[in-house]
Amino acid sequence: MVASGCGGTGRELSAYAGPEGLDGLDFVTRSITLDARSGARGPRVAEVPGGLVSAVGLPNPGLEHFLATELPWLVRAGVRVVVSIAGATMGEYADLAGRLGRAPGVVGLEVNVGAPDETSDGLYEVREPYHAASVVAAVRREFASDRPVLAKLRPDVSRVVEGARACHEAGATAVVVGNAVPAALPDGRPGGLSGPALAPIALRCVAAVSRALPAVPVIGCGGVHDVDSARAYLAAGATSVQVGTAMLHDPTTVARLRASLDQPPHQEDA
Ligand SMILES: Cc1cc2nc3c(=O)[nH]c(=O)nc-3n(C[C@H](O)[C@H](O)[C@H](O)COP(=O)(O)O)c2cc1C
C-alpha cells in the first residue's frame, strides 16, 4: 500500500504508473481533516543519513473538497482508496467517519492516532492507549462494520502492544505500525523521522505486536524500500506493508515491490 501523505492525492502517481495505470493500487490518502489546512511553514523536510525528517503539518484540502474532487478522481482511476483521517476532537473524527462512510468508493478508513507531534499539528492528543482506543471507537460507531478501520499507531517500542490491543478491542480491524518517530528538523522544530533509518524500530514494534496479539492483523510501515525490507516485515508477522518515504524517491516503488513479491524469490528483480 502507498502510505499516507507519500503519494500526493494519487494524480501525481499516474504519470509513473505504466500502461495499467493506477487500477488496483492500494492507496492511503494523506490525512484528511474537516477543514482545509495549509500545512506547516517551510522548510518542511530535511534529508538525513538513512531517512527524512519532515514536519508538513498535514496540508490537505479539507473533507468537502476531497469528497467533491479528489475521491471521485481516485475512484475513476480504479484506485482502492483508504482514507486517512485526523481530527482535533473526538467529534471531528466521528463526523469524518460518518460522512466518508456514506461516500461511494471508500474501501476503508485509516485513523491517524500516531502523528509524531499531534499537539503542534492541532490534533487530538494521544498520550495513552485509551485515548487512541476512544478515537477508534468513535470512528467505528459511524463507519459500516463490514468495512475496515485501520488504527495507525506510533512505533513506540514501550507502548505499542498496549496501543494495538486497546485499538483492536475498540473495533479496529487492523493496526498500522507505524507512523514516523518524533524527531527534530535541523532548526529544532518538531517533526518525524521516516525512511530506512526507522525500519529496525518499526520492525521491532511489528514483531512485538504480532507475537503478543496473533489474532490482530498488523500492517508494517517504516523504511520499506525494497523486497528485502518488505519481506522482513512479513517474516515478523505483518500481513502487508505500506511504503512512504521511498515513494518520494521513486513513485514506482509500490508497483515494483508488488510485482516482485508476487513472484517466487529467485525471480525477484527489485
Ligand atoms: C512527507 C510526509 C507526509 C506524511 N503525511 C502523513 C499523513 O498525512 N498522515 C499520516 O498518517 N502519516 C503521514 N506520514 C507518515 C507516513 O505515512 C509513514 O507512516 C512514515 O513516513 C513511515 O513510513 P516510511 O518510512 O515508509 O516513510 C507522512 C510522511 C511523510 C514523509
Side-chain angles (χ1 to χ4, degrees), residues 202-229:
L203 189 61
R204 173 168 161 168
C205 293
V206 166
V209 173
S210 306
R211 228 180 3 253
L213 309 169
V216 179
V218 183
I219 300 168
C221 180
V224 175
H225 64 286
D226 61 8
V227 171
D228 287 345
S229 51

Side-chain angles (χ1 to χ4, degrees), residues 5 21 38 41 68 74 76 86 92 100 118 126 139 154 158 165 193 204 224 228:
S38 54
R41 70 174 165 86
L74 288 165
R76 271 198 307 277
E92 279 191 17
L100 285 161
E118 70 269 81
V126 175
V139 167
R154 58 175 73 93
S158 57
R165 182 182 287 114
L193 173 67
R204 173 168 161 168
V224 175
D228 287 345

Side-chain angles (χ1 to χ4, degrees), residues 3-6 31 52 54 58 112 152 178-180 194-195 198 221-223 244-245:
S4 178
C6 297
S31 291
L52 188 72
S54 61
L58 304 186
N112 185 353
K152 184 171 181 183
N179 214 313
S194 62
L198 170 60
C221 180
T245 302

Side-chain angles (χ1 to χ4, degrees), residues 2-6 28-32 44-45 52-56 58-59 84-85 110-116 152 176 178-181 192-196 198-199 221-225 242-248:
V2 179
S4 178
C6 297
V28 186
T29 68
R30 65 181 77 198
S31 291
I32 302 295
R44 292 175 168 181
V45 296
L52 188 72
V53 179
S54 61
V56 291
L58 304 186
S84 168
I85 56 174
E110 183 177 277
V111 189
N112 185 353
V113 283
K152 184 171 181 183
V176 182
N179 214 313
V181 287
L193 173 67
S194 62
L198 170 60
C221 180
V224 175
H225 64 286
Q242 294 186 354
V243 182
T245 302
M247 290 296 286
L248 307 178

Side-chain angles (χ1 to χ4, degrees), residues 30-240:
R30 65 181 77 198
S31 291
I32 302 295
T33 49
L34 268 186
D35 298 321
R37 290 168 60 102
S38 54
R41 70 174 165 86
R44 292 175 168 181
V45 296
E47 283 197 68
V48 294
L52 188 72
V53 179
S54 61
V56 291
L58 304 186
N60 78 92
L63 182 64
E64 289 299 338
H65 186 274
F66 175 77
L67 289 173
T69 61
E70 297 192 34
L71 180 61
W73 188 91
L74 288 165
V75 172
R76 271 198 307 277
V79 174
R80 288 165 44 80
V81 186
V82 172
V83 183
S84 168
I85 56 174
T89 64
M90 212 99 77
E92 279 191 17
Y93 274 104
D95 204 0
L96 285 157
R99 291 169 66 187
L100 285 161
R102 293 189 289 279
V106 176
V107 168
L109 295 182
E110 183 177 277
V111 189
N112 185 353
V113 283
D117 194 47
E118 70 269 81
T119 42
S120 68
D121 284 342
L123 302 183
Y124 182 78
E125 192 183 357
V126 175
R127 261 177 292 118
E128 298 293 331
Y130 74 83
H131 292 138
S134 307
V135 172
V136 169
V139 167
R140 186 76 278 181
R141 273 195 294 276
E142 299 295 329
F143 197 68
S145 57
D146 61 344
R147 280 189 286 171
V149 169
L150 316 180
K152 184 171 181 183
L153 305 171
R154 58 175 73 93
D156 173 349
V157 289
S158 57
R159 304 297 299 270
V160 71
V161 171
E162 268 179 275
R165 182 182 287 114
C167 287
H168 186 61
E169 285 171 3
T173 319
V175 293
V176 182
V177 180
N179 214 313
V181 287
L185 288 165
D187 63 10
R189 281 180 297 141
L193 173 67
S194 62
L198 170 60
I201 300 169
L203 189 61
R204 173 168 161 168
C205 293
V206 166
V209 173
S210 306
R211 228 180 3 253
L213 309 169
V216 179
V218 183
I219 300 168
C221 180
V224 175
H225 64 286
D226 61 8
V227 171
D228 287 345
S229 51
R231 283 205 192 284
Y233 278 102
L234 301 176
T239 54
S240 55

